[in-house]
Amino acid sequence: MSLSAAEVEFQSNKGPEPLKERLQAKLHQYPSISPVMVLLISGAVFWILNPNFKDPFNLSLVVQQVAVVGAVAVGQTIIILTAGIDLSCGAIAVFASMVMGRTAFANHLPGWQSLIIGLLVGTAAGAFNGFLVTKIKLPPFIVTLGTFNIFNALTLLYATGRDIQASEMNSTLVWMGTTFKAGRFQITLGVILMLLMYLVLSYALRFTAWGRHVYATGDDVEAARLAGIETKRVIFSVYMVAGLIFALAAWILIGRTGAASAINGIDLNLDSITAVVIGGTSLFGGRGRIIGSFYGAVIVGVFRDGLTLAGLPPYYQSLAVGILVITAVTIDQWIRKANK
Amino acid sequence: MSVAPALTATNLFKTYGSVVALNGADLQLYPGEVLAVVGDNGAGKSTLIKCISGAEVPDSGEITLAGDVVKFHRPQDGRHAGIETVYQTLAVAPALDIAANLYLGRELRKPGPLGSIFRMLDNGAMKRESKSHIADLGISTIQNIGQAVETLSGGQRQAVAVARAATFSSKVIILDEPTAALGVRESNQVLKLIERLRDRGLPVILISHNMPQVFEVADRIQVQRLGKRAGVVTPKTHQMNEVVAIMTGALKVEEKDQTLQPVR
């Protein structure tokens, strides 16, 4: 610790500019550095504040709690990478969960059929957003503000004022809530599904032409179009894929809460954006890594859990999350200035 | 001795509502030459090259490429036929590296199931190829092919755009005001690049407002006026002020004073 401090001193003696610029350039190159640092430091602090924090049971709980928002953040990230935003993501997830629950409960469909119908409905909802953004050419903020209300209303209409409990659904739908032991940790299948989604989307973004086109479109849509990329098709596909991801998150949501309810998960809209932003993805598009959103979601979970264990009232959690978001965006702005 | 033209446009007409953009425009481009197209605003330069590149479809008229009649409906059609366009707006994605930009929209995939099933990009091959393409063009200022384009100067960025066009254009390369967004030194880099493309035998159409630059690199200069060709001259036969006079209509050039055949 003292050694690295000495190094910093040494470098800043050579002049403050190079170090600052080097740091800026590094953060620019590896946008996941800052969330990982925040995660490690906050983890260490909460551990010191309350040794129970590092208890495997507690850590397992944190991860289980972030499974749903972490999954929704996967879809939110690819949308934000195209310089878009989705305020309706939580509404789509809740709507999809209600479709899964009610088709199983009221229409007595087998669980896997309800699941597939729910996934299709989520995909269609995302495609509807994508249609409004690319064909009607409305700003994503307005589109999804509108569809947020629409999907919410549809959910409430369809729910007919009643939650569907786990006991009223086929076991396929609550399967994601199944826990198993991994060493001293308790993991749910929902956590595994979330991690799989990160894996698949990381691969698609890094190693396929589609992923490269997503970045290029978010970076400079006109340049991407002139380079021969069908930017509208890319953006449409992103909203549609995100819809499917939100529906998969709905499956995790049912497993996590043990019910399909019109009010569970309504915070997901903004919480997913929080996770993406803390994870270092730029709201201006074209910049960021999807794994950062996982760190972002975990950071929020760690703060909520750690502050509770430290004995602080719950509203300090919101305070901390607010500060995190503003800090993250400030850092993003600063990093973006690096090469201007 | 007559050389077959690489590209011709004959009697093109294009109207937008009541506005006549092209009123029987012609163009002949010969192998290994730089043909500058100049003209006042609204003279139909842009529409002409858009029709050639496929960005616009002419109402009537004929375009031939290497002797064959072609009909383009989308920019992709022109691209597939071997016509590449470089725009003034530095059309590169800033956060992507040079190799990714060079292959943007035309990415190479790995051979075998990794590429066909998992759609995996062959980044290694794209880096290698980009490196050799950049070296071929003699762009020495670019050191690291994995560098993000936003770390480059404006001139280097435009060099990347030109390199991309040169890599994929087998027949014709069109440069639409390639230096408009650049400083003097950077413009000179791009002009050097244009000369190198020509020396490799690739015919170049250069749209520009900048007369000194046109006179520096062009083999022939086509002056557009009121949607058609007002004349084709060369930097040797005519002065800069004469070209401007043709542009404005103050000077008429007789057919015998024009340079309709290649000079190289």
Side-chain angles (χ1 to χ4, degrees):
Chain A
M1 201 65 190
S2 61
L3 180 72
S4 64
E7 265 178 37
V8 170
E9 271 301 315
F10 175 66
Q11 279 164 351
S12 58
N13 279 345
K14 283 197 293 190
E17 280 297 295
L19 176 68
K20 191 182 142 213
E21 275 168 19
R22 279 227 308 273
L23 180 65
Q24 227 170 357
K26 274 278 168 260
L27 287 174
H28 194 267
Q29 203 179 349
Y30 306 102
S32 298
I33 290 182
S34 22
V36 169
M37 294 297 288
V38 171
L39 188 56
L40 291 177
I41 294 169
S42 58
V45 170
F46 289 127
W47 181 4
I48 294 166
L49 287 177
N50 187 340
N52 286 337
F53 176 77
K54 66 152 203 324
D55 186 70
F57 181 76
N58 181 54
L59 293 179
S60 306
L61 202 64
V62 172
V63 177
Q64 287 178 29
Q65 276 166 347
V66 301
V68 180
V69 68
V72 172
V74 174
Q76 187 69 263
T77 311
I78 56 173
I79 287 177
I80 289 181
L81 278 176
T82 65
I85 195 138
D86 195 337
L87 301 173
S88 71
C89 57
I92 292 178
V94 175
F95 184 44
S97 76
M98 189 51 77
V99 169
M100 291 176 190
R102 274 207 83 78
T103 49
F105 166 71
N107 305 355
H108 309 290
L109 290 183
W112 64 273
Q113 285 186 13
S114 303
L115 177 65
I116 288 174
I117 291 172
L119 295 179
L120 288 176
V121 166
T123 310
F128 182 59
N129 279 338
F131 167 79
L132 292 175
V133 169
T134 56
K135 286 284 183 306
I136 315 291
K137 296 182 183 126
L138 300 173
F141 187 95
I142 300 300
V143 166
T144 55
L145 184 64
T147 53
F148 157 71
N149 286 298
I150 292 171
F151 297 141
N152 256 349
L154 289 178
T155 308
L156 291 167
L157 285 169
Y158 186 48
T160 61
R162 176 189 199 289
D163 291 356
I164 316 291
Q165 297 305 321
S167 56
E168 298 168 318
M169 282 183 277
N170 185 293
S171 62
T172 308
L173 291 179
V174 288
W175 193 49
M176 283 296 121
T178 314
T179 58
F180 62 92
K181 285 218 175 277
R184 298 175 55 206
F185 291 91
Q186 283 243 323
I187 308 286
T188 59
L189 285 180
V191 171
I192 303 293
L193 178 60
M194 171 195 66
L195 293 175
L196 267 177
M197 284 155 74
Y198 274 99
L199 219 63
V200 171
L201 265 296
S202 291
Y203 176 86
L205 285 176
R206 269 187 85 105
F207 294 112
T208 73
W210 177 78
R212 190 154 286 177
H213 296 173
V214 168
Y215 276 99
T217 302
D219 203 7
D220 186 334
V221 66
E222 186 61 13
R225 197 182 62 77
L226 290 175
I229 293 176
E230 302 214 26
T231 50
K232 286 200 170 152
R233 200 192 275 176
V234 170
I235 293 174
F236 181 80
S237 74
V238 160
Y239 280 90
M240 202 169 85
V241 169
L244 173 64
I245 292 171
F246 302 149
L248 284 168
W251 190 21
I252 304 177
L253 178 70
I254 295 176
R256 167 95 198 117
T257 58
S261 151
I263 49 165
N264 278 346
I266 215 68
D267 294 333
L268 287 169
N269 297 309
L270 295 181
D271 284 354
S272 66
I273 299 172
T274 306
V276 174
V277 168
I278 293 177
T281 295
S282 171
L283 281 174
F284 302 99
R287 223 167 290 257
R289 293 275 173 271
I290 197 153
I291 192 67
S293 305
F294 173 68
Y295 301 140
V298 174
I299 286 171
V300 173
V302 161
F303 265 79
R304 289 197 191 285
D305 179 75
L307 290 171
T308 311
L309 285 181
L312 288 169
Y315 38 81
Y316 279 97
Q317 298 173 8
S318 296
L319 184 72
V321 172
I323 292 169
L324 275 175
V325 168
I326 289 174
T327 312
V329 176
T330 310
I331 292 176
D332 173 51
Q333 295 274 33
W334 183 64
I335 294 170
R336 286 175 69 87
K337 258 191 285 180
N339 291 294
K340 280 283 139 81
Chain B
M1 174 195 132
S2 82
V3 184
L7 178 134
T8 68
T10 315
N11 212 15
L12 296 188
F13 283 85
K14 175 80 189 174
T15 55
Y16 299 98
S18 62
V19 179
V20 182
L22 290 182
N23 190 13
D26 298 308
L27 181 144
Q28 281 100 35
L29 177 70
Y30 291 92
E33 73 167 351
V34 176
L35 176 70
V37 177
V38 300
D40 209 350
N41 289 340
K45 309 187 291 284
S46 294
T47 312
L48 177 60
I49 63 140
K50 276 181 182 158
C51 289
I52 291 171
S53 69
E56 294 279 1
V57 183
D59 299 336
S60 68
E62 189 179 79
I63 296 170
T64 68
L65 186 63
D68 302 321
V69 176
V70 286
K71 282 211 185 316
F72 301 142
H73 302 285
R74 301 176 307 154
Q76 277 84 348
D77 296 344
R79 217 179 275 255
H80 286 310
I83 300 176
E84 285 287 325
T85 311
V86 175
Y87 303 89
Q88 58 171 296
T89 48
L90 305 178
V92 284
L96 296 183
D97 66 32
I98 295 167
N101 262 291
L102 223 63
Y103 281 89
L104 196 56
R106 277 182 277 235
E107 288 82 359
L108 304 178
R109 285 210 295 264
K110 285 216 171 148
L114 271 182
S116 55
I117 299 171
F118 294 101
R119 323 293 277 180
M120 191 186 248
L121 295 174
D122 197 342
N123 283 321
M126 286 192 275
K127 283 216 163 81
R128 270 196 312 280
E129 296 286 312
S130 305
K131 208 167 197 155
S132 80
H133 288 309
I134 298 256
D136 281 354
L137 286 170
I139 306 171
S140 54
T141 53
I142 292 173
Q143 302 290 335
N144 177 7
I145 211 79
Q147 216 176 338
V149 161
E150 64 200 338
T151 62
L152 303 176
S153 71
Q156 289 173 323
R157 286 186 206 196
Q158 195 59 294
V160 171
V162 174
R164 173 169 68 200
T167 302
F168 295 102
S169 67
S170 47
K171 305 271 174 51
V172 174
I173 183 162
I174 300 171
L175 298 140
D176 185 4
E177 304 258 7
T179 59
L182 303 180
V184 176
R185 214 172 64 87
E186 299 185 320
S187 295
N188 285 335
Q189 292 171 354
V190 172
L191 295 183
K192 284 266 168 342
L193 210 47
I194 293 173
E195 284 172 353
R196 239 173 258 135
L197 292 177
R198 174 192 52 204
D199 295 344
R200 289 167 65 186
L202 198 61
V204 178
I205 298 177
L206 170 69
I207 315 292
S208 183
H209 266 111
N210 188 317
M211 280 298 158
Q213 284 181 8
V214 165
F215 271 71
E216 198 183 325
V217 295
D219 297 307
R220 297 190 302 140
I221 303 168
Q222 165 157 347
V223 187
Q224 284 293 119
R225 182 173 148 72
L226 303 175
K228 58 172 99 173
R229 182 166 69 186
V232 184
V233 299
T234 75
K236 298 201 177 66
T237 58
H238 288 74
Q239 301 280 315
M240 239 181 258
N241 54 3
E242 290 173 304
V243 171
V244 174
I246 301 169
M247 262 168 68
T248 57
L251 184 69
K252 294 258 184 298
V253 268
E254 298 298 321
E255 183 97 13
K256 65 178 172 51
D257 294 327
Q258 296 192 24
T259 313
L260 294 169
Q261 288 300 311
V263 293
R264 284 189 163 254

